[in-house]
Structures are given as structure tokens and as C-alpha cells.
Amino acid sequence: MEIWTVVLRTIVVYFFLLIVLRLMGKREIGELSVLDFVISIMIAELAVVSVEDTDVSYVRAFTPILVLSLLQIVLAWWSLKSDRMRHILDGRPTVLIREGKIDEKAMKKQRYNFDDLLMQIRQKDIKDVSDVEFAILEPSGELSVFEKKEEAEDLSYPLPFIIDGHIQWDHLEKAGKDEMWLRRELRKGGIDYVKKVSYCAMQENGVLYIDEKDD
């Protein structure tokens, strides 16, 4: 009889976790941040315990899973509304190679060694570091590599100037631009308020890409 109890609990826990993960969003599956990874491991451990320990009631077994899920949903919503919270939870992308030159300080800060860097560059079918225009270590831990283009005269990593209605001041400074210039460019596109912009970035050809928020 105990085996059927385990089977029943396994089925119940499966569908419960399926609902919880759907509520938490596809981001939990597609691209795990450090926080997502920790919470996913904790939920998995709690799920195993709830299946194995048949003496524990469903309410007691599912309560900590629900608490973790709600915590993740609240933090995800908070990070969506706040740049600072998003950077705290997910981190920032780090440029490890710029115009074929390795940034050793950035690598040391991220505790990223040369063997890992060279291996991931080779996996992108790039033979040498000198062929790399930019290599960016994403918050997810993945390395994004942009290869140099022979015919391009002026390549630069696309810098977002506005994300979700917030000006990215460090990107403006890196591009040698200021707020006056940005607002002037927005007005040329018929946009009076930064808050109306969902995403704005300087493309490789020097053209400013602007995407307005949906009404």
C-alpha cells in the first residue's frame, strides 16, 4: 500500500510543481541567474522530501515551496521595476575583450581564467583573440563573442542608452554623449519623455534605435 502512496504523492507533486513553475515564468527555465539557480535547487530538494516522506502532510510539504515561489515572483517584479535591484540580483554584463585586447582586471574581478576564455572563443569558431571585437560575460555566465568584420570601419558594442524608461548614464558616458544630446534625438523621433521609451541603443552604423512602450 505504501508504494501506491508514493506513486500518488509523486503525481500530485509533479502537477503542483508544474503549476508553480508556470506561475514563476519561463525565465526560470530559459536563463537561470544565480538567484534563480539557488531557488530552483531548493524547490527540487523540497519536492523530493515531500515525495519520500509520506508522513508529512501536503500542506506542510508544499508551504515552503509556495514561499520560495512567491519570493521569486516578488523579487522578479521588483527587479523589473528597479534597475538597482535588477543589477543586485542578476548582475551586470562584463566586457572581457574590447577591440582584441583582453581586460585582465575584469577577468580577475569575475574570477574568470584564460583557459575558460580561450575555450569559449574556440567554441564560437574563432581562432584567435585578435579576431574578437568584443567578448561580453553575461550575467547568466554565458560568453557572448562578436567577431571583427573586415569591411567595417567603425564597430562598437551596441550600447543601450535607455532601458525600460531609465537612462543608462554609464553607457552615455562611454559613447561620449550627454543627456541633452539624447533628449534632442528623442524629440527628433517625436518622443518628449524618456519614460515612454522601452529600449534605445546606438547601432553599429551610428543610427539610434528607439522602441516606444506599448500603450
Side-chain angles (χ1 to χ4, degrees):
M1 190 68 180
E2 184 179 351
I3 184 65
W4 291 111
T5 302
V6 173
V7 171
L8 177 61
R9 290 181 72 92
T10 301
I11 295 173
V12 172
V13 170
Y14 169 78
F15 283 105
F16 176 74
L17 288 181
L18 189 62
I19 294 171
V20 167
L21 291 176
R22 293 290 292 178
L23 291 174
M24 290 172 65
K26 294 182 179 179
R27 181 171 177 266
E28 304 307 314
I29 301 173
E31 41 184 67
L32 294 177
S33 65
V34 175
L35 179 66
D36 299 333
F37 183 66
V38 171
I39 288 183
S40 297
I41 290 178
M42 292 180 68
I43 289 177
E45 290 293 332
L46 290 169
V48 171
V49 171
S50 65
V51 170
E52 293 180 344
D53 194 347
T54 56
D55 294 330
V56 178
S57 66
Y58 285 117
V59 174
R60 186 177 176 183
F62 290 170
T63 297
I65 296 177
L66 282 174
V67 171
L68 287 174
S69 304
L70 289 174
L71 176 63
Q72 180 62 16
I73 291 172
V74 170
L75 291 176
W77 176 85
W78 194 358
S79 66
L80 184 65
K81 298 296 182 180
S82 170
D83 287 340
R84 179 174 296 181
M85 180 55 63
R86 181 162 56 248
H87 293 151
I88 291 174
L89 295 177
D90 296 337
R92 296 172 179 265
T94 303
V95 179
L96 300 182
I97 300 177
R98 187 188 300 271
E99 297 178 357
K101 296 181 180 179
I102 299 174
D103 189 336
E104 290 84 1
K105 291 183 179 179
M107 289 185 60
K108 185 177 181 180
K109 185 177 180 180
Q110 297 297 327
R111 293 182 292 279
Y112 205 80
N113 62 58
F114 281 93
D115 290 336
D116 291 335
L117 179 64
L118 295 175
M119 178 185 68
Q120 293 203 42
I121 288 175
R122 288 194 297 269
Q123 289 176 346
K124 303 290 184 180
D125 295 326
I126 299 177
K127 297 178 181 178
D128 192 73
V129 174
S130 60
D131 296 328
V132 177
E133 184 68 24
F134 286 98
I136 301 106
L137 183 62
E138 306 293 354
S140 62
E142 182 181 355
L143 188 70
S144 299
V145 181
F146 299 87
E147 191 174 6
K148 288 182 179 179
K149 298 179 182 178
E150 297 179 359
E151 298 179 357
E153 296 178 357
D154 182 21
L155 267 180
S156 59
Y157 171 57
L159 294 173
F161 293 150
I162 300 175
I163 298 178
D164 195 23
H166 298 283
I167 297 176
Q168 308 300 302
W169 302 104
D170 53 339
H171 292 172
L172 270 179
E173 184 178 351
K174 287 179 182 178
K177 307 294 183 181
D178 56 20
E179 184 181 359
M180 293 272 298
W181 172 86
L182 180 60
R183 292 185 181 276
R184 186 168 58 249
E185 293 298 314
L186 291 177
R187 283 195 295 271
K188 289 180 181 178
I191 302 173
D192 297 324
Y193 301 101
V194 174
K195 292 291 184 182
K196 292 184 178 181
V197 179
S198 174
Y199 181 79
C200 172
M202 180 69 75
Q203 297 177 306
E204 294 180 357
N205 56 9
V207 176
L208 197 65
Y209 171 81
I210 303 173
D211 180 55
E212 291 186 72
K213 290 184 178 180
D214 297 330
D215 295 330

